[in-house]
Amino acid sequence: MRRLEPCRLQEDWARTLQTPGRLGPSQTRGGGTAAAAPDSRGRCGAGQDRGSARASLWVPGRKHTRFQEESPVVDLNVGGEFYTTTLGTLRKFPGSKLAEMFSSPAKACLDAEGRFFIDRCGTYFGPILEYLRSGQLPTQHIPEVYLEAQYYEIKPLIKYLEDTPQIFGEQVARKQFLLQVPGYSENLELMVRLARAEAVAARCSRVLVCLVRNEKEDANCADALRSLEANKRSVVKFGPWKAALDISDLLDCLNMDIKAQGYQVCYSHNSPLPAKVSDYFYTFSFSWW
């Protein structure tokens, strides 16, 4: 009598991807029925022969179910939110990261209930799924859905969202505006670091900012900046820049980007410096409690 090879334990059986030519849970090449799964001791049932089996494909997110080519049902756990859809829906755009997640069992991550787990915010996955199912375009939470569409690399949805007023205004108008200001991101980070450094036993921190639009204004502020440096007073300097940027717009961008990081901040045009240079200096106040 032919000796059978040992099989995997029963709990792993339903999750195993079996490539063509390997044994399926209940199929043999001749059409007969083999044992459905190994017993609790990991032994193969009668008729289970690896060399004579038909292919059995893996279904992510569903226990004890074989993947069938006609878009099987898939259970998802996206950041604690549960969804049910089909494999065909998830693979609708072959070049997307979402389709890639379901192209190989090596990329699978299952939760305790056997659902396919994706470690992203589940709230905004709903609009993504509706778009994949029916082409329905999102109308709410556009910036958040845009970030998720970028993560899953769903290019048609990304292109649509980039044309919406919310994303177009941020990506095209405001970001292009800020690209005209040399060192904007670095100076913004420096402002936050200075504010935090002064926050010890204080209700608020104040950061002095100097804004100069051109070389002439830069020269006018040179003496004041040297004096502040001699007195060990920190100043964050923006400019000069070449584009025709309005100071008030730059101040609003700084205020917006700092608040987006969760800080309570406001700015004022009061400076301890002489009147001839005070127009170039602003104070940003960070409130801690």
Side-chain angles (χ1 to χ4, degrees):
M1 181 176 181
R2 182 177 178 180
R3 186 175 180 179
L4 300 175
E5 296 183 31
C7 297
R8 297 179 181 273
L9 293 178
Q10 189 170 9
E11 61 182 2
D12 294 330
W13 180 264
R15 298 180 184 177
T16 303
L17 173 64
Q18 298 181 355
T19 56
R22 294 179 63 185
L23 179 63
S26 59
Q27 292 181 327
T28 63
R29 180 160 295 165
T33 301
D39 63 19
S40 61
R41 298 177 63 183
R43 298 174 301 187
C44 292
Q48 291 182 332
D49 183 57
R50 182 170 299 182
S52 62
R54 182 182 291 179
S56 176
L57 300 179
W58 168 78
V59 186
R62 185 162 292 272
K63 288 186 175 180
H64 310 293
T65 307
R66 288 180 297 117
F67 167 50
Q68 301 170 357
E69 292 183 359
E70 54 271 21
S71 296
V73 174
V74 179
D75 295 328
L76 302 174
N77 176 352
V78 185
E81 298 280 343
F82 304 135
Y83 295 92
T84 300
T85 185
T86 65
L87 198 62
T89 296
L90 297 171
R91 290 178 174 175
K92 184 170 184 179
F93 297 102
S96 68
K97 185 174 182 178
L98 189 61
E100 183 183 354
M101 288 179 180
F102 290 87
S103 65
S104 168
K107 302 179 184 298
C109 178
L110 303 180
D111 67 9
E113 300 299 322
R115 292 178 288 250
F116 192 94
F117 180 73
I118 302 175
D119 194 14
R120 296 290 293 182
C121 178
T123 302
Y124 306 116
F125 184 76
I128 299 286
L129 188 57
E130 287 304 317
Y131 175 76
L132 295 175
R133 284 170 171 163
S134 62
Q136 178 178 326
L137 296 169
T139 58
Q140 297 180 329
H141 309 293
I142 297 298
E144 293 82 4
V145 176
Y146 176 68
L147 290 177
E148 295 306 300
Q150 286 183 309
Y151 175 78
Y152 295 115
E153 299 177 2
I154 304 173
K155 293 181 180 179
L157 181 56
I158 292 172
K159 186 178 184 304
Y160 164 77
L161 293 172
E162 286 179 345
D163 288 335
T164 61
Q166 299 95 316
I167 305 302
F168 181 85
E170 174 65 22
Q171 297 293 325
V172 178
R174 199 174 84 90
K175 283 196 173 180
Q176 291 300 317
F177 171 85
L178 294 177
L179 286 175
Q180 306 299 317
V181 183
Y184 176 84
S185 298
E186 294 80 0
N187 284 341
L188 181 70
E189 182 180 348
L190 178 58
M191 289 176 64
V192 173
R193 288 206 311 266
L194 290 172
R196 292 175 67 91
E198 296 181 4
V200 179
R203 183 166 187 174
C204 65
S205 303
R206 292 179 175 84
V207 177
L208 190 61
V209 173
C210 177
L211 306 179
V212 292
R213 291 170 291 188
N214 50 52
E215 299 292 343
K216 181 180 179 180
E217 293 181 350
D218 192 22
N220 292 339
C221 292
D223 289 339
L225 289 170
R226 282 193 291 267
S227 175
L228 290 166
E229 183 180 359
N231 292 320
K232 297 183 179 180
R233 177 72 187 275
S234 298
V235 182
V236 182
K237 178 172 169 286
F238 290 83
W241 52 78
K242 295 182 179 179
L245 303 180
D246 190 83
I247 292 292
S248 62
D249 291 334
L250 181 55
L251 289 167
D252 287 342
C253 285
L254 288 169
N255 193 51
M256 181 188 308
D257 288 336
I258 293 172
K259 286 183 175 178
Q261 297 183 39
Y263 295 98
Q264 297 183 43
V265 68
C266 62
Y267 65 88
S268 58
H269 192 193
N270 54 354
S271 169
L273 299 169
K276 66 177 182 178
V277 295
S278 62
D279 287 346
Y280 307 123
F281 290 86
Y282 297 80
T283 300
F284 277 76
S285 299
F286 291 73
S287 300
W288 304 111
W289 51 276

